[in-house]
Every structure is written in structure tokens, then in C-alpha cells.
């Protein structure tokens, strides 16, 4: 004789209903249901199946484990900048042609005649190495999301032009933009195995370009074992561009490699 269905409400002690329901649903017999409200399970099933569900629930409705989550964002790169330009002054009769020297540093080759005419050639090459080892740590409870971030405010010069009293006034100012790096992470454990929903963000100011910001976002699900670094993503960027202004030419070449890793440890 088939068992009749019954409905029972089971209050949760430690876990959240939304975390438990996906585990219990596959265990419910055909025609039964498991839902939740106000952190209470509402189970409709047969008495024998309800007994099985309660046995499983007794094992999983325990206090969530305390975790230390570390996210490491490694950045390695190099950048070469070459700048060359011609400047000087030439005057003949009533005509004077002048190109100011706006460069700084480097090698200067200069020629000058008795009339005060001068020609300069400036060449500058800079090499920079980028290494950034950010490690973020935050405590979290198993099954609960956590967020951590660090950053700084970067000044960005600007100009405002307005007309007053028949005159044009140019006013210099500074605004600050936040450059923030951090991550969201949601950990779930099964024994010593961990599954993570991760959304880290890395922001920084580009080398030699104070008003340009690089932003990296990764959203992924990763799994591994407690205590080990788990790679979750990365990116490689190459620089190869040039620009000209007046008689000055600038070339930028380089590359940048970014990697994001995560580690979860249990706090005893």
C-alpha cells in the first residue's frame, strides 16, 4: 500500500533555507516538494522519506565553518618609452620662427650661429618595470558572501573656462578619482573541497599616464582544495603605439601580464 503524503515544517538551526533546499530536492520522492519561508523548511512527502530527509538535514544543518579567504593579484610588465624632437629658433628680417623645447632630460644635440639662431635635437629613452603583488584577505562564514577592497584617490587636473565682465577666465582645478581593487567571494565547502563564486576587480593608473585607468574584472566559479592557491584567470596586454605633437615623436612599447589566484583556509 502506497504511503500517504504529509506536510511538516522544520525550523533551521544554522543553515539558510536557500542553501539547504538544493541539497534536499533530489532526495524527495515523486510527488513530494520541499520549499522554505522565514528560514523554515516546508516538506511534503511520505513518512519514510521524511525520516530520510531529517537524517540528511541533521548532518548538513550545522554551524557554518569560519574561513580565511585570500585573493592574490600578480602583475608583471615592462614599458619602454622613446621620445625624440626638434626645437629651436630662426629669425630672418621681420620673420621669426620658434619651436619651444618642451622635453625634459635625455640627450641634447644643439647648434647655434652668431645671429642667435639655434636648433636642438633631444632624444630620451626610459625603461620601467612593473611588479605588483596584491594579496587581499577577509574572514567569512561558509555559504555567506564576503567583500574586501583597498584603494587610493588619484588627483586629476582639469580646467574650467568661463566669461565674466567681458573677460575670459581660465580656472585650474583638481578632481579626485578613486582607484579601487577588491573582490566579492561566496565560498561553499564539501569536506576539504571548496567551490567559490568569485568576482575580483583590479584598478590602477597606467604608467606615465596619470589620467588613464586600467580596470580588470573577472567573474568565475572555481573549485579546489582548502589551503591551496587556485588560479582563476588572467590577461596579457601588449603596448605598441606612437604619437606626435608639433615636432616631438613618442613611441611606447611593452607588455603586461596579470594573474588572479585565490586560497581558502579554515579557521579552527
Amino acid at each position: 500500500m502506497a504511503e500517504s503524503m504529509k506536510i511538516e515544517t522544520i525550523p533551521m538551526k544554522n543553515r539558510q533555507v536557500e542553501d539547504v533546499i538544493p541539497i534536499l530536492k533530489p532526495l524527495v520522492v515523486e510527488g513530494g516538494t520541499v520549499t522554505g519561508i522565514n528560514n523554515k523548511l516546508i516538506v511534503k512527502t511520505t513518512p519514510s522519506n521524511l525520516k530520510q530527509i531529517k537524517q540528511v538535514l541533521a548532518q548538513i544543518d550545522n554551524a557554518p565553518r569560519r574561513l580565511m579567504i585570500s585573493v592574490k593579484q600578480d602583475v608583471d610588465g615592462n614599458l619602454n618609452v622613446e621620445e625624440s624632437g626638434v626645437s629651436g629658433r630662426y629669425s630672418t628680417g621681420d620673420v621669426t620662427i620658434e619651436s619651444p623645447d618642451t622635453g625634459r632630460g635625455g640627450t641634447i644635440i644643439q647648434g647655434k650661429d652668431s645671429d642667435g639662431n639655434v636648433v636642438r635635437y633631444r632624444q630620451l629613452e626610459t625603461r620601467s618595470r612593473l611588479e605588483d603583488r596584491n594579496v587581499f584577505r577577509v574572514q567569512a562564514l561558509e555559504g555567506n558572501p564576503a567583500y574586501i577592497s583597498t584603494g587610493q584617490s588619484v588627483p586629476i587636473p582639469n580646467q574650467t573656462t568661463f566669461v565674466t565682465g567681458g573677460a575670459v577666465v581660465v580656472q585650474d582645478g583638481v578632481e579626485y578619482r578613486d582607484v579601487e581593487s577588491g573582490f566579492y567571494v561566496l565560498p561553499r565547502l564539501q569536506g576539504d573541497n571548496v567551490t567559490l563564486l568569485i568576482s575580483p576587480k583590479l584598478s590602477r593608473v597606467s604608467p606615465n599616464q596619470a589620467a588613464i585607468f586600467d580596470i580588470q574584472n573577472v567573474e568565475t566559479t572555481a573549485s579546489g582544495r582548502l589551503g591551496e592557491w587556485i588560479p582563476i584567470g588572467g590577461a596579457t596586454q601588449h603596448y605598441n603605439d606612437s604619437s606626435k605633437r608639433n615636432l616631438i615623436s613618442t613611441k611606447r612599447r611593452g607588455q603586461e601580464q596579470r594573474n588572479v589566484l585565490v586560497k581558502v583556509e579554515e579557521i579552527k
Side-chain angles (χ1 to χ4, degrees), residues 39-238:
N39 214 36
K40 295 180 181 179
L41 283 175
I42 302 174
V43 183
K44 176 186 176 184
T45 188
T46 63
S48 58
N49 184 227
L50 181 61
K51 182 179 179 180
Q52 295 174 350
I53 288 175
K54 286 184 176 181
Q55 289 174 346
V56 173
L57 190 59
Q59 298 178 22
I60 63 176
D61 187 20
N62 45 32
R65 296 152 77 177
R66 294 174 59 233
L67 306 173
M68 176 65 73
I69 303 171
S70 303
V71 171
K72 179 166 60 174
Q73 303 187 87
D74 289 347
V75 181
D76 288 290
N78 60 78
L79 180 66
N80 297 335
V81 179
E82 299 177 5
E83 184 178 281
S84 60
V86 177
S87 63
R89 179 183 182 277
Y90 179 77
S91 179
T92 174
D94 297 331
V95 178
T96 299
I97 301 175
E98 184 171 2
S99 176
D101 182 10
T102 59
R104 295 182 180 180
T107 303
I108 301 175
I109 302 175
Q110 177 174 296
K112 188 175 184 181
D113 64 15
S114 58
D115 296 327
N117 297 318
V118 60
V119 177
R120 304 183 199 90
Y121 175 76
R122 182 189 299 273
Q123 186 173 22
L124 173 66
E125 182 175 357
T126 60
R127 300 175 184 270
S128 58
R129 176 74 183 174
L130 174 63
E131 291 184 340
D132 199 349
R133 299 288 185 270
N134 291 320
V135 178
F136 304 99
R137 294 184 178 89
V138 64
Q139 291 190 31
L141 293 177
E142 174 191 2
N144 292 274
Y147 178 71
I148 184 174
S149 69
T150 63
Q152 60 178 327
S153 293
V154 178
I156 302 176
N158 59 35
Q159 284 188 339
T160 303
T161 304
F162 57 93
V163 179
T164 178
V168 178
V169 178
V170 179
Q171 183 175 356
D172 293 325
V174 176
E175 63 175 306
Y176 288 84
R177 177 169 174 177
D178 291 336
V179 182
E180 181 184 73
S181 294
F183 69 92
Y184 283 98
V185 60
L186 176 62
R188 300 185 189 278
L189 298 182
Q190 186 173 5
D192 289 335
N193 296 316
V194 58
T195 300
L196 300 165
L197 175 62
I198 307 166
S199 180
K201 173 184 176 182
L202 171 63
S203 303
R204 69 177 187 83
V205 182
S206 292
N208 303 320
Q209 300 186 59
I212 297 180
F213 299 84
D214 293 333
I215 298 176
Q216 175 188 4
N217 288 293
V218 179
E219 185 168 325
T220 185
T221 300
S223 61
R225 296 186 64 82
L226 289 174
E228 71 177 12
W229 284 107
I230 305 169
I232 61 170
T236 301
Q237 184 175 6
H238 295 273

Side-chain angles (χ1 to χ4, degrees), residues 15 18-27 56 60:
R15 297 283 185 152
E18 55 268 23
D19 294 330
V20 172
I21 288 178
I23 301 173
L24 298 181
K25 267 189 176 182
L27 306 178
V56 173
I60 63 176

